[in-house]
C-alpha cells in the first residue's frame, strides 16, 4: 500500500495555501543554501581575526564620497580612540574609501572540504590590510561576526537534520517492532523507552555529554552532539509509532499479508510503517527546532562546539555578559538567526500538519 502525501494535489494546495508555511519554507531554503556554500558566501574565514578591531561596530555602506554619488558602494577604514571611561570609540577615516565588490579575492578556504577557493561572494576590492567589511560587526578578537554566523549555520542547521534521522530510525525500528509483535517484547522495549523519558531531556543531555572528555576535537564533539540528541529524543516518538502500529496491525490488509505468508519484516516495512509516514514527517519537522536549541544550549555553556570553530550556540556565549550586550548589541545576532530558523520550521510543520490531516 503506497502513501501519496507527496503527490496529493489537495494536500499540496492546502500546504501552499497556508499563510505562513510558504514564507517559512522559503526562509529554510535560503538558510540551507547559505549553509551549503558557507565558504564562498562568507567574506572571511571563521578564524580570521584582527585584534586591533575588537568589537568594531557594523560597517556603514556609503553610496557617496566627498558629497558625490558613486555607483559602487564604499566603506571607510576605522580606527579607535578611548573616551573618558576608557571605552573604545571607532571613527571612520573618510579620506580612504574602499570599494565593495563582488567575487573578490580573499582567504583560501576549502569548499565542501576538498575544493580550494580564494574567491568570495563579496568583500573589499584589493583586500586592503587596514580595513574590513563587517556587515554585522566584529567579535572580541576582531573576527567578522557575519562570516562566523554563516559558518556556524553548518553546525546548527545540520545537527537537527542528522539528529532527527537517527531518532526516527530508532523510533521506527523499536516502536514498529513493539507494536507489531506485542507481548513481552513490547513490554521490555517500552520500559526501556520510559527509562529515557523519566529523566528531563536537558539533564539527560548534560549527563550524556559529561560522560565524555571535555577536550576533544570539534568534529568529535559534533558527532557526539548528534548522537546525544538522538538518544534524548527517540523514546517519545517510538511510543507513538508503537501505538499506531498496534492499530494498523489489526487491519484486514495486514491480516491478508500474514495469510499469504509474507515475512514479518516485509509486513512491517511495506504495510505498517508507511501508514505512519504522514505523522512522522510532521513530527520530524516540528522536532528539528528542539535539536537546534539543544546544540545551542550545550555550546552556550561550553560543552558543545569549541572556539575557534563556530556554531550559533557558542557565538551567543559572548552575550552572557549584560555589559557586553549594552556596549555591543550586535553580539545578539546569532540568537536572531536561531529564532528565525525555529519559527520557520514551526511554520512549515504547522502547514504540513494541516495539509496531511484528512479531517481538515
Amino acid at each position: 500500500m503506497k502513501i501519496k502525501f507527496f503527490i496529493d494535489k489537495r494536500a499540496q494546495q492546502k500546504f501552499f495555501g497556508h499563510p505562513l508555511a510558504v514564507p517559512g519554507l522559503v526562509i529554510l531554503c535560503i538558510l540551507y543554501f547559505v549553509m551549503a556554500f558557507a565558504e564562498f558566501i562568507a567574506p572571511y574565514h571563521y578564524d580570521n581575526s584582527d585584534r586591533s578591531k575588537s568589537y568594531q561596530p557594523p560597517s556603514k555602506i556609503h553610496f557617496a564620497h566627498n558629497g558625490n554619488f558613486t555607483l559602487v558602494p564604499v566603506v571607510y577604514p576605522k580606527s579607535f580612540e578611548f573616551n573618558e571611561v576608557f571605552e573604545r570609540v571607532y571613527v571612520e577615516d573618510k579620506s580612504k574609501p574602499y570599494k565593495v565588490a563582488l567575487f573578490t579575492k580573499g582567504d583560501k578556504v576549502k569548499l565542501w572540504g576538498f575544493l580550494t577557493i580564494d574567491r568570495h561572494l563579496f568583500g573589499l576590492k584589493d583586500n586592503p590590510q587596514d580595513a574590513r567589511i563587517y556587515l554585522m560587526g566584529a567579535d572580541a578578537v576582531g573576527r567578522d561576526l557575519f562570516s562566523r554566523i554563516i559558518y556556524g549555520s553548518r553546525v546548527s542547521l545540520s545537527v537537527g537534520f542528522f539528529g532527527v534521522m537517527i531518532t526516527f530510525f530508532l523510533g521506527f525500528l523499536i516502536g514498529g517492532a513493539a507494536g507489531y509483535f506485542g507481548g513481552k517484547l513490547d513490554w521490555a522495549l517500552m520500559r526501556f523507552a520510559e527509562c529515557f523519558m523519566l529523566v528531563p531531556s536537558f539533564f539527560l543531555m548534560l549527563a550524556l555529554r559529561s560522560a565524555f572528555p571535555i577536550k576533544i576535537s570539534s568534529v568529535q564533539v559534533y558527532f557526539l552532539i548528534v548522537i546525544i540528541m538522538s538518544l534524548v529524543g527517540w523514546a517519545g516518538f517510538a511510543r507513538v509509532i508503537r501505538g499506531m502500529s498496534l492499530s494498523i496491525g489489526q487491519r484486514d490488509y495486514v491480516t491478508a499479508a500474514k495469510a499469504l505468508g509474507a515475512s514479518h519484516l516485509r509486513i512491517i516495512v511495506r504495510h505498517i510503517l508507511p501508514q505512519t509516514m504522514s505523522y512522522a514527517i510532521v513530527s520530524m519537522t516540528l522536532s528539528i527546532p528542539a535539536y537546534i536549541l539543544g546544540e545551542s544550549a550545550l555550546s552556550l555553556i561550553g560543552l558543545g562546539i569549541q572556539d575557534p570553530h563556530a556554531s550559533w550556540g557558542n557565538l551567543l556565549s559572548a552575550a552572557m555578559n549584560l555589559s557586553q550586550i549594552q556596549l555591543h548589541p550586535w553580539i545578539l545576532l546569532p540568537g536572531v538567526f536561531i529564532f528565525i530558523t525555529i519559527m520557520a520550521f514551526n511554520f512549515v510543520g504547522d502547514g504540513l500538519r494541516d495539509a496531511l490531516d484528512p479531517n481538515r
Side-chain angles (χ1 to χ4, degrees):
M1 180 172 263
K2 298 180 179 180
I3 300 296
K4 299 182 179 180
F5 48 80
F6 280 126
I7 59 175
D8 190 327
K9 290 185 178 180
R10 182 172 176 271
Q12 291 179 12
Q13 291 173 353
K14 290 170 69 176
F15 176 81
F16 288 108
H18 193 280
L20 297 175
V22 174
L25 182 62
V26 171
I27 290 172
L28 291 179
C29 290
I30 293 172
L31 288 172
Y32 277 95
F33 176 82
V34 170
M35 179 194 77
F37 296 92
E39 292 86 355
F40 170 69
I41 294 174
Y44 304 102
H45 185 262
Y46 64 83
D47 198 28
N48 185 334
S49 63
D50 185 347
R51 293 180 181 272
S52 66
K53 295 176 172 54
S54 173
Y55 287 126
Q56 180 173 307
S59 300
K60 293 181 180 179
I61 310 297
H62 299 270
F63 289 90
H65 175 61
N66 291 333
N68 297 319
F69 177 77
T70 174
L71 291 176
V72 180
V74 298
V75 298
Y76 299 114
K78 291 182 179 181
S79 59
F80 65 88
E81 55 189 33
F82 292 101
N83 61 14
E84 64 276 4
V85 293
F86 300 101
E87 294 175 351
R88 287 189 179 191
V89 178
Y90 283 90
V91 180
E92 290 182 329
D93 181 3
K94 295 192 175 181
S95 65
K96 296 180 179 180
Y98 290 108
K99 295 180 179 180
V100 180
L102 295 175
F103 309 114
T104 56
K105 274 195 172 184
D107 299 333
K108 285 188 176 182
V109 295
K110 288 190 175 182
L111 182 64
W112 306 319
F114 65 90
L115 182 61
T116 301
I117 61 171
D118 61 0
R119 293 280 178 179
H120 299 267
L121 179 61
F122 68 95
L124 297 184
K125 192 174 182 180
D126 300 325
N127 197 21
Q129 297 299 315
D130 61 336
R132 289 191 172 201
I133 181 169
Y134 288 134
L135 287 185
M136 297 182 178
D139 66 4
V141 294
R143 295 174 297 199
D144 177 32
L145 185 59
F146 174 75
S147 296
R148 288 181 61 77
I149 288 174
I150 297 299
Y151 275 94
S153 68
R154 297 185 304 180
V155 173
S156 297
L157 293 177
S158 62
V159 157
F161 181 78
F162 291 117
V164 160
M165 292 296 103
I166 298 175
T167 293
F168 280 73
F169 173 77
L170 293 174
F172 277 129
L173 179 66
I174 296 174
Y180 177 75
F181 292 106
K184 293 182 179 180
L185 179 64
D186 179 24
W187 184 90
L189 291 177
M190 289 303 100
R191 300 298 80 75
F192 178 65
E194 287 166 2
C195 291
F196 284 85
M197 298 177 67
L198 284 173
V199 184
S201 59
F202 186 70
F203 294 105
L204 178 59
M205 189 167 58
L206 291 179
L208 291 172
R209 175 62 184 91
S210 63
F212 296 88
I214 295 295
K215 294 183 179 180
I216 57 178
S217 70
S218 291
V219 175
Q220 292 173 317
V221 170
Y222 174 81
F223 287 107
L224 185 60
I225 289 175
V226 170
I227 294 171
I228 288 173
M229 300 296 293
S230 302
L231 291 176
V232 169
W234 71 270
F237 178 72
R239 284 187 63 86
V240 176
I241 294 299
R242 176 254 184 187
M244 297 179 72
S245 298
L246 279 173
S247 174
I248 297 169
Q250 306 301 317
R251 296 184 181 176
D252 292 340
Y253 58 85
V254 175
T255 303
K258 291 178 180 178
L260 291 172
S263 66
H264 295 310
L265 180 62
R266 181 180 178 83
I267 293 173
I268 293 173
V269 173
R270 293 292 302 273
H271 300 289
I272 294 181
L273 292 185
Q275 304 306 310
T276 67
M277 288 302 294
S278 295
Y279 163 79
I281 289 177
V282 175
S283 180
M284 182 185 303
T285 307
L286 295 174
S287 297
I288 290 178
Y291 289 82
I292 295 174
L293 287 175
E295 180 278 325
S296 300
L298 284 177
S299 298
L300 180 66
I301 61 179
L303 296 177
I305 304 299
Q306 302 295 317
D307 197 68
H309 296 277
S311 80
W312 291 346
N314 71 5
L315 291 179
L316 270 180
S317 60
M320 295 180 70
N321 189 326
L322 183 59
S323 62
Q324 294 289 2
I325 297 175
Q326 293 174 334
L327 295 172
H328 321 294
W330 57 87
I331 62 178
L332 284 173
L333 286 173
V336 174
F337 279 84
I338 293 174
F339 174 79
I340 291 173
T341 303
I342 289 173
M343 294 304 296
F345 271 112
N346 284 328
F347 292 153
V348 172
D350 191 53
L352 285 173
R353 182 172 54 197
D354 290 351
L356 301 178
D357 187 352
N359 297 321
R360 295 196 179 191

